[in-house]
Amino acid sequence: MVNFATLKKSSGSIERLAKELEKLNAPATERKEDDRFWQPEVDKSGNGMAVIRFLPASAVDGDDGLPWVRIFNHGFKGPSGKWYIENSLTTLNQKDPVSEFNTQLWNASSEDTSPQRKQAREQKRRLTYISNILVISDPKHPENEGKVKLFKYGKKIFDKISMLMDPEFEGDTAINPFDLWKGCNFKLRIRTVEGYRNYDQSTFESSSVLNSDDSKLEEMWKSQYSLKEFIDPKNFKSYDELKKKLEDVLCLNVPTIKNSVKEESSTKRQTVETYEDEDDDDLKQFKSLVA
């Protein structure tokens, strides 16, 4: 119990409260929010392994469904001490206040090392994909084996999927890894490089049927989760809501920056858009391959 003398002695100190505020403002982890998602666990050295099988579009999503959805999001901390952790409306091909503001920051200076461009990079959107998978092997958590889970992954893994579906070298056979009968297992090999997870050593195995019993395959297929819910507009905040939060996090009124931005050519604006949309071409190229 703190006595009055101690209370007086600590007058003016905000260190402990500041730490608690930091905890409150820190982003929550995906594992705590939704137990449908699976992620491999790494050891103390940051290494890990698992084997999974990417699954086709779910029964509930219908014939027009894809075996993945892509989501753009932003995650950064502003001078207010608050976090901006939100999905971007560009996921839905709509205007997003962060993307617009980042474009203004980028065009405010022609110097690549300028504070404006540095801030734009720190606030840039990040691309993730979500797919249904079957966990084949999970050494750290064998209770997950044989279960259908949702798996969130980035461009590096999607690139491996893309290269398998559209081989770079002539003569290599194209394989749809999402196919139940002619697909293939994916060996996840995780290393921690400079503080980040690295999947460069992950590989696909040879093509194989997931299960020789079609009735079991059908049962598993029907147990998959809907992916469309993750890109349902009702699950995204409105432009005005996101703009208000952005202003709150960055301690600014977003439109005011326009007064300090010089008019830029359409060519330069296209350069900025390419910087944010560098992954779009891959997606367009491979959408038809799983139809």
Side-chain angles (χ1 to χ4, degrees):
M1 183 176 180
V2 179
N3 58 38
F4 188 79
T6 303
L7 178 66
K8 184 177 181 179
K9 187 177 181 179
S10 63
S11 176
S13 174
I14 62 170
E15 183 178 357
R16 186 175 68 85
L17 293 180
K19 288 181 179 179
E20 292 302 313
L21 284 175
E22 179 76 9
K23 292 178 184 178
L24 290 174
N25 288 323
T29 62
E30 185 67 47
R31 185 180 293 272
K32 292 181 180 179
E33 293 176 358
D34 194 336
D35 61 7
R36 296 176 300 172
F37 281 86
W38 172 87
Q39 283 292 333
E41 185 178 321
V42 296
D43 58 25
K44 292 180 180 180
S45 61
N47 299 324
M49 61 172 291
V51 181
I52 62 175
R53 179 76 167 239
F54 287 97
L55 300 177
S58 67
V60 68
D61 281 341
D63 294 336
D64 61 340
L66 286 170
W68 69 74
V69 290
R70 64 165 188 172
I71 299 174
F72 289 109
N73 61 74
H74 295 279
F76 54 87
K77 186 180 180 182
S80 64
K82 299 177 181 178
W83 284 87
Y84 186 96
I85 309 286
E86 298 291 346
N87 287 334
S88 170
L89 287 171
T90 58
T91 301
L92 309 177
N93 296 317
Q94 298 177 12
K95 293 181 179 180
D96 184 88
V98 181
S99 289
E100 290 180 341
F101 183 56
N102 284 346
T103 298
Q104 293 168 21
L105 285 171
W106 192 264
N107 290 333
S109 172
S110 59
E111 296 294 328
D112 202 46
T113 57
S114 67
Q116 295 96 329
R117 291 198 170 188
K118 180 177 183 292
Q119 182 180 351
R121 288 191 183 96
E122 291 172 348
Q123 297 173 178
K124 74 175 183 178
R125 66 184 190 177
R126 291 172 173 81
L127 174 61
T128 57
Y129 295 87
I130 299 176
S131 290
N132 278 284
I133 63 163
L134 181 71
V135 180
I136 304 295
S137 173
D138 185 352
K140 290 286 186 180
H141 294 279
E143 67 273 13
N144 289 323
E145 295 176 0
K147 292 182 179 180
V148 172
K149 291 283 187 178
L150 291 170
F151 179 49
K152 181 180 288 187
Y153 55 100
K155 184 178 183 297
K156 291 292 185 181
I157 291 180
F158 189 78
D159 284 346
K160 291 181 178 292
I161 293 172
S162 300
M163 287 188 288
L164 190 68
M165 297 172 68
D166 188 25
E168 182 179 359
F169 299 102
E170 185 177 353
D172 288 350
T173 302
I175 298 174
N176 175 7
F178 300 95
D179 192 284
L180 296 176
W181 295 271
K182 298 180 181 180
C184 43
N185 295 344
F186 185 59
K187 286 185 176 181
L188 272 170
R189 295 292 184 268
I190 307 165
R191 295 179 301 141
T192 298
V193 179
E194 297 181 351
Y196 294 93
R197 288 193 176 189
N198 181 286
Y199 299 92
D200 288 348
Q201 294 186 5
S202 300
T203 58
F204 280 99
E205 297 179 345
S206 300
S207 178
S208 64
V209 62
L210 186 54
N211 193 305
S212 59
D213 188 336
D214 277 4
S215 63
K216 291 183 178 179
L217 287 179
E218 183 177 11
E219 181 182 354
M220 180 184 60
W221 176 60
K222 290 180 177 179
S223 72
Q224 291 177 208
Y225 301 104
S226 170
L227 299 180
K228 288 185 177 180
E229 69 168 275
F230 297 105
I231 53 173
D232 190 323
K234 70 180 181 182
N235 293 325
F236 286 71
K237 291 181 179 177
S238 69
Y239 180 96
D240 290 339
E241 288 176 306
L242 293 175
K243 180 181 174 183
K244 185 176 185 300
K245 183 167 184 179
L246 178 65
E247 292 174 348
D248 185 40
V249 169
L250 295 184
C251 302
L252 52 74
N253 184 357
V254 174
T256 60
I257 193 173
K258 293 181 180 178
N259 298 328
S260 63
V261 178
K262 297 179 181 180
E263 195 69 33
E264 300 289 338
S265 67
S266 59
T267 301
K268 190 167 185 179
R269 291 186 183 277
Q270 180 60 40
T271 300
V272 177
E273 190 65 26
T274 302
Y275 165 75
E276 287 217 333
D277 292 342
E278 59 185 349
D279 305 306
D280 287 3
D281 289 341
D282 285 343
L283 185 72
K284 291 175 183 176
Q285 183 178 359
F286 300 114
K287 263 189 174 181
S288 61
L289 296 181
V290 293

